[in-house]
Amino acid sequence: MTKSKVTRRGMFAGSAALMAGAFATPVRGAPPEAQKITGELIAAAKKEGKATWYTSVDLPVAEKIAKAFEAKYPGVTMRVERSGAERIFQRIGQEYASKIYNCDVVNSSDAAHLIVWKREKLLAAWLPEDVAQHFPAAHKDPDGMYASWRVTLAPIAYNTKLVKKEDAPKSYADLIDPKWASKIVKAHPGYSGTIMTATQQLSRDLGWKWFEALAKQKIMQVQSAADPPKKLALGERSVMADGTEYVVTELKARGEPIEPVYATEGTPLITGPSAIMARAANPNAARLFYAWSMTAEAQQLSVDVGAMRSAHPLVKERPDRPRLADIKTLREDATAVADQADDLKTRYTRIFKV
Amino acid sequence: MRGTLDLSRPVLFATVALLTVLILLPMGWLLVSSLLDKQGELTFGNFVTLFTDSSFLEPLETTLIISVSVAAICCAVAAPMGWLVARTDMPMRRTVRTLMMATLVTPPFVGAIAWEMLAAPNSGLLNQLWRLLTGAGADQSLFDIYTLPSLIFVIACYTLPYVFILVANSLDRMPGELEDASSMLGGSAWQTARRITVPLALPVLLAGALVAFLQALNLFGSPAILAIPAGFHTLTTKIWSLFQFPPKAELAAAASLPLLLLTILLLRAQSMVLGRRSYAVLGGKYGEPRLVRLGVLRMPALLLCLFVLAMPFFLPYLALFNSAFSRVASRIVSAETITLHNFRFTFVELSSTLPALWNTFLLATLTATIGALLALVIAYIVARKAMVGHRVLAFLATAPLAIPGIVLGVGLFIAYTRPPLQLYGTLWILLIAFVTIELPAAYQQLGSAFHAVHPELEEAGRMLGASRLRTLADITAPLLRTAVAATWCFVFVAVLRELSAAVILFTSETKVLSVLIFDLKESGDVGAIAVLSLVMIAITTVVVALANWLGGGGGRGLVRS
């Protein structure tokens, strides 16, 4: 039934060797011109009046960002469609196969998706001024098709009421200690792009043996990377093996008993690029939202309200957690994720049974 | 004699054609796809995978364990409870019966979420209470909801009412003479119960077991919520997981067929059992059954019933209300911590709440209207033998009972994502799914209502020259007004809670309430889930009350979800 569908593995066979660095895709021609938010763009966006944003960012955060945009540009209503990045990837594929073009702006926590969409010519080239002027090369597509709207980490964390600081795990190796049996919660790479990306990095650096050992710990398997921190806050589990950092930060700032651990082996680094769909039904509203979301102002909001990290150099880090530069991170390799995604999911499902 | 323009024949034929397309198109595609590989070549590979790969065999085995256990538990609990309510002088009999009916209002997946709040091993409210009372350590727990036995328990909670109603209603109707004879011949109350009542009730109990088995077999929501965190699949969740990227619709089609076959077989078995139900109670007029005096056991019996009712009713609602007004669901709300944050988030911030409510309302209204009309026409044709082949029509209208929601979802997805009818992404595909799913219940309700209307009034109309359609509209339909209205309400409610087909067929623009709740569950937004569940249950309660007020009764329209 999905004859026409291109598998990610097929797309990347043979091309992997060309890739270097997370975002390197062959440059098609001269980079597009940088675009300002002009009066005409705003007027055109208001005429369309709405835009649909597919994102995998935690729902309360996504809605806050959308509301901030609506407040800044009254007359453009945002519709947030939130699901796990892997679900969104599947959803867009399924919708496009049926010629349904609901999505205007997309944001994924699996950078590999953007590479695939670009190759399938699903994305529009449009380079906001902020991205052109400020974003480092590693965080933007040379053809101006996408840029890192957010950067996140997938740390370990624990509930400080249930685990004493000195007993808390320090590393991934600590997590497979039998004393953590039945106490760990973990999200799923078949749903979450953050976890898909983290799984690729951890299986590369620690080997699948580590996952096999972890599977013996009777973990609680949830779907979204936003859920493990919430399960810690509920007190349902003591430790999360993975999950998204911004929800941990946010819950901690709200006074919940939760503390992140940046593992000694390094913490998975996840960039979450955004893009405008080439077939967007509301192209101007899409451009306006996309351009605004990359401004220093909006990026600062993502950090202050959403507790995410930013690729924008003008954005100030939060005082309540270590700076990104000071954390040992694992190397992100979106091309490898794109290449191995099906295999990663299959292996994961075999080990964890779901 | 006839009017100049008689549309009866065309309408009747259109109904048959519509039904055939509704049911045969998705099922046909399901069968065809299960025999194809990714390239569209003929293969048995999907079935080989299905019956050799342990990732399919284990869910199949788990599903059978769940279904058998749920059937056994439901019968073991529903039989004595039904007997207490129908045949004894237990106090508050009517209240117990009403409350049991009220549990039908809770969608099973909402029940599962509520039970997660209650009995998650560490954060569950019941476990916290137990620790508080016994002083047990922080990592000890009384219940663990993320286990197979707990899943069976939760499914049984929300299957029990169906079996209970079946048993209680049949005990109501069972004649008292045989029991009287037994006691006149010197049998004690217990002897009479054992020797007369139980054997008489056995066929209906067997039918109840089959209903429970089928419910458990085809349920998607509860296992998706409780089994996946625990690290196992049932057949329905496995089928659903095949729609992750890269989607394997062919394999899903193949995996759907065992569910379909098993359901058809069991429905055959059920109709055989129910067909024999009246074998022992022939003849004459029967007296009101005599109530068994429980004596000192009256209060204990009532307490037992209330204890059972706490499982699907009192406890889950406490948990839902607690989470709706609490910032963190695992803490009991107090005067200081009570918050409307979740309500504000759900109705003000969450941009998909209102569209989902609107879609749900629209679909429920349309499905109820179309479903009730279609069922009315079919019931008329069948009851009055109005055309050749009315038996086929009756079969077609009942056939969707044999199609589990998730299987229908897969079939419709395959059938309507290709030309000529590319309906995926529209509300139409959901409308088709819902009408198909709800038709059997609507048809059965109206079918039995037709038996109460004598055909002589219609014959009078026909003799005076009215067409069949006109008699139906002017004479029969008004006579059946209350039955039609009740059917409408029950279909409306059943659509509100439908998850298993919708979860396969929705897109971002066609999201419904049940899917929204399921989505929120995956990202752990417990507060919003509690709010939306309560909204859903409130709407359902109002509509069911309306239906009862209109003179319908029973919970038949709710049988599937």
Side-chain angles (χ1 to χ4, degrees):
Chain A
M1 300 305 100
T2 46
K3 244 190 295 186
S4 60
K5 219 157 263 167
V6 189
T7 69
R8 301 214 278 198
R9 187 196 274 274
M11 299 233 35
F12 286 90
S15 63
L18 288 170
M19 310 292 169
F23 275 8
T25 51
V27 181
R28 294 246 165 73
E33 208 181 311
Q35 306 280 350
K36 281 190 166 66
I37 297 178
T38 60
E40 291 94 76
L41 180 64
I42 298 171
K46 282 188 182 167
K47 208 169 165 203
E48 289 164 359
K50 61 179 191 309
T52 301
W53 179 32
Y54 281 32
T55 178
S56 57
V57 83
D58 191 34
L59 188 58
V61 177
E63 296 286 6
K64 275 187 197 119
I65 305 278
K67 290 283 175 292
F69 172 76
E70 288 174 354
K72 173 102 184 175
Y73 299 103
V76 187
T77 314
M78 290 303 292
R79 173 83 168 271
V80 175
E81 170 64 16
R82 197 223 85 98
S83 189
E86 305 302 317
R87 289 280 166 78
I88 285 183
F89 184 74
Q90 189 267 344
R91 173 87 32 86
I92 288 181
Q94 197 163 297
E95 292 185 355
Y96 271 60
S98 297
K99 302 191 173 57
I100 299 166
Y101 309 113
N102 286 340
C103 174
D104 293 318
V105 180
V106 68
N107 163 249
S108 177
S109 53
D110 184 342
H113 295 162
L114 280 294
I115 301 177
V116 176
W117 287 327
K118 182 183 173 182
R119 303 195 146 239
E120 292 183 9
K121 301 195 169 40
L122 299 189
L123 305 181
W126 207 78
L127 181 63
E129 196 179 30
D130 275 86
V131 174
Q133 279 183 9
H134 300 291
F135 277 48
H139 287 286
K140 60 186 170 195
D141 171 49
D143 294 317
M145 290 195 174
Y146 51 85
S148 301
W149 175 62
R150 59 173 158 138
V151 180
T152 38
L153 296 168
I156 299 172
Y158 63 97
N159 179 309
T160 53
K161 270 193 191 154
L162 299 171
V163 180
K164 287 200 219 84
K165 194 175 172 47
E166 57 270 27
D167 297 334
K170 311 271 181 299
S171 64
Y172 288 104
D174 286 353
L175 288 181
I176 55 178
D177 187 311
K179 77 172 178 177
W180 298 118
S182 302
K183 292 193 159 69
I184 299 176
V185 57
K186 181 179 187 327
H188 201 289
Y191 177 93
S192 161
T194 301
I195 304 305
M196 171 57 93
T197 311
T199 304
Q200 189 268 331
Q201 294 174 28
L202 290 172
S203 64
R204 177 195 62 203
D205 295 358
L206 308 176
W208 285 103
K209 283 242 166 319
W210 179 78
F211 283 93
E212 280 158 16
L214 188 66
K216 297 205 176 75
Q217 295 283 56
K218 291 200 218 151
I219 60 151
M220 175 182 190
Q221 178 73 67
V222 296
Q223 299 293 314
S224 170
D227 202 9
K230 294 174 191 171
K231 289 285 178 286
L232 293 192
L234 283 175
E236 182 42 50
R237 288 292 187 271
S238 322
V239 177
M240 72 178 204
D242 57 27
T244 200
E245 187 202 30
Y246 60 89
V247 180
V248 174
T249 313
E250 222 186 325
L251 288 169
K252 192 183 162 189
R254 233 166 65 189
E256 300 297 338
I258 183 169
E259 187 66 38
V261 174
Y262 302 100
T264 52
E265 294 96 335
T267 297
L269 174 75
I270 294 105
T271 52
S274 285
I276 301 168
M277 300 306 282
R279 307 208 58 143
N282 306 293
N284 293 300
R287 284 172 190 160
L288 183 61
F289 177 72
Y290 179 66
W292 171 81
S293 75
M294 298 296 176
T295 60
E297 179 199 347
Q299 288 282 307
Q300 190 68 57
L301 187 78
S302 299
V303 172
D304 295 346
V305 173
M308 286 173 284
R309 310 269 183 175
S310 172
H312 201 307
L314 298 182
V315 167
K316 287 183 196 67
E317 289 246 22
R318 290 168 71 105
D320 61 349
R321 65 179 176 194
R323 293 156 47 83
L324 183 57
D326 298 338
I327 297 169
K328 181 183 173 190
T329 56
L330 300 178
R331 184 172 54 85
E332 190 181 22
D333 185 353
T335 314
V337 177
D339 195 22
Q340 302 162 10
D342 297 351
D343 185 47
L344 288 168
K345 275 184 215 169
T346 311
R347 288 188 98 145
Y348 187 92
T349 309
R350 204 174 302 140
I351 293 172
F352 289 95
K353 301 283 182 204
V354 283
Chain B
M1 291 292 281
R2 298 255 164 131
T4 44
L5 195 65
D6 185 358
L7 288 175
S8 306
R9 292 253 143 215
V11 167
L12 300 189
F13 280 115
T15 311
V16 176
L18 182 66
L19 271 188
T20 315
V21 171
L22 272 186
I23 294 155
L24 292 186
L25 193 64
M27 292 303 107
W29 272 115
L30 198 68
L31 203 64
V32 171
S33 319
S34 69
L35 293 169
L36 297 178
D37 63 10
K38 280 249 166 264
Q39 279 65 48
E41 305 287 327
L42 199 65
T43 175
F44 284 104
N46 296 322
F47 289 97
V48 172
T49 312
L50 188 59
F51 289 108
T52 53
D53 189 337
S54 68
S55 75
F56 284 97
L57 287 174
E58 280 169 23
L60 188 62
E61 191 188 341
T62 310
T63 307
L64 290 176
I65 293 174
I66 291 174
S67 306
V68 171
S69 318
V70 166
I73 293 172
C74 284
C75 286
V77 179
M81 256 184 101
W83 178 75
L84 282 173
V85 165
R87 285 306 181 101
T88 71
D89 62 346
M90 185 179 77
M92 291 171 71
R93 296 191 298 276
R94 289 201 66 81
T95 316
V96 168
R97 202 182 264 229
T98 311
L99 286 175
M100 201 58 154
M101 300 274 284
T103 63
L104 279 175
V105 164
T106 322
F109 64 94
V110 170
I113 294 173
W115 266 99
E116 209 181 0
M117 296 164 183
L118 285 166
N122 301 298
S123 60
L125 299 173
L126 291 178
N127 282 318
Q128 292 187 50
L129 182 71
W130 176 75
R131 263 178 241 131
L132 196 71
L133 293 179
T134 61
D139 49 359
Q140 286 174 291
S141 60
L142 188 57
F143 307 105
D144 182 354
I145 200 70
Y146 305 113
T147 58
L148 183 58
S150 302
L151 175 61
I152 291 171
F153 165 78
V154 172
I155 297 179
C157 275
Y158 294 95
T159 310
L160 179 66
Y162 302 111
V163 185
F164 169 83
I165 289 167
L166 210 60
V167 172
N169 286 352
S170 103
L171 285 174
D172 279 343
R173 288 194 302 264
M174 195 183 285
E177 273 79 2
L178 292 165
E179 287 168 339
D180 289 349
S182 161
S183 44
M184 271 185 267
L185 291 169
S188 71
W190 298 110
Q191 252 177 331
T192 307
R194 212 182 68 235
R195 292 232 167 122
I196 309 289
T197 321
V198 170
L200 280 178
L202 217 48
V204 82
L205 211 54
L206 201 53
L210 284 170
V211 167
F213 188 95
L214 278 177
Q215 286 275 325
L217 185 70
N218 295 328
L219 204 60
F220 165 72
S222 311
I225 284 154
L226 298 177
I228 292 176
F232 65 91
H233 270 299
T234 63
L235 209 47
T236 49
T237 62
K238 184 71 191 175
I239 290 171
W240 166 77
S241 77
L242 292 172
F243 278 82
Q244 289 178 4
F245 190 86
K248 303 179 188 75
E250 301 83 8
L251 208 48
S256 299
L257 287 178
L259 273 183
L260 188 60
L261 288 178
L262 209 52
T263 309
I264 293 174
L265 275 177
L266 286 170
L267 282 173
R268 289 297 304 158
Q270 189 191 359
S271 66
M272 278 168 64
V273 167
L274 278 181
R276 289 177 55 201
R277 185 174 49 180
S278 57
Y279 71 100
V281 285
L282 303 160
K285 273 193 164 182
Y286 308 120
E288 277 285 299
R290 189 155 304 176
L291 295 185
V292 173
R293 292 187 190 287
L294 290 175
V296 289
L297 290 174
R298 284 179 82 219
M299 281 324 277
L302 175 64
L303 287 177
L304 191 71
C305 285
L306 291 178
F307 176 74
V308 171
L309 273 168
M311 306 300 158
F313 196 71
F314 303 131
L315 288 173
Y317 280 93
L318 279 176
L320 281 177
F321 272 104
N322 185 62
S323 321
F325 291 100
S326 160
R327 192 101 196 184
V328 176
S330 59
R331 280 167 223 153
I332 299 279
V333 163
S334 66
E336 293 90 65
T337 60
I338 191 161
T339 170
L340 288 177
H341 165 83
N342 296 319
F343 286 85
R344 199 172 54 242
F345 174 70
T346 309
F347 290 106
V348 181
E349 289 174 29
L350 192 55
S351 56
S352 37
T353 304
L354 294 179
L357 274 173
W358 169 244
N359 285 342
T360 309
F361 180 77
L362 191 68
L363 279 168
T365 311
L366 283 176
T367 308
T369 309
I370 296 173
L373 278 178
L374 203 56
L376 185 68
V377 173
I378 298 167
Y380 172 78
I381 296 174
V382 175
R384 301 292 179 251
K385 303 187 172 57
M387 63 182 281
V388 188
H390 58 89
R391 271 177 221 284
V392 179
L393 206 54
F395 169 77
L396 280 175
T398 335
L401 263 188
I403 311 172
I406 199 138
V407 175
L408 186 70
V410 174
L412 288 173
F413 177 80
I414 298 172
Y416 295 117
T417 44
R418 62 184 68 238
L421 284 170
Q422 284 223 358
L423 296 180
Y424 174 71
T426 64
L427 285 175
W428 293 109
I429 193 168
L430 288 165
L431 183 65
I432 291 177
F434 294 160
V435 168
T436 314
I437 289 174
E438 306 312 339
L439 188 62
Y443 164 69
Q444 283 172 354
Q445 254 185 348
L446 289 175
S448 58
F450 260 102
H451 288 299
V453 178
H454 200 279
E456 62 196 11
L457 291 168
E458 292 165 22
E459 283 157 8
R462 298 268 291 146
M463 270 186 274
L464 291 170
S467 72
R468 275 198 185 280
L469 270 194
R470 203 179 167 82
T471 23
L472 183 59
D474 288 354
I475 296 173
T476 325
L479 285 172
L480 293 172
R481 202 172 45 230
T482 52
V484 174
T487 304
W488 191 95
C489 291
F490 283 124
V491 173
F492 187 95
V493 166
V495 170
L496 282 189
R497 41 195 277 148
E498 210 293 330
L499 172 69
S500 56
V503 83
I504 303 270
L505 297 173
F506 81 101
T507 60
S508 57
E509 294 290 307
T510 55
K511 211 176 254 189
V512 290
L513 198 52
S514 58
V515 174
L516 180 61
I517 294 177
F518 190 70
D519 258 8
L520 288 167
K521 177 72 193 77
E522 289 189 315
S523 53
D525 296 299
V526 187
I529 294 170
V531 171
L532 286 173
S533 301
L534 289 175
V535 167
M536 186 188 235
I537 290 161
I539 302 174
T540 311
T541 311
V542 170
V543 178
V544 168
L546 202 66
N548 280 332
W549 180 69
L550 284 170
R556 260 145 101 198
L558 291 171
V559 168
R560 311 203 350 155
S561 64

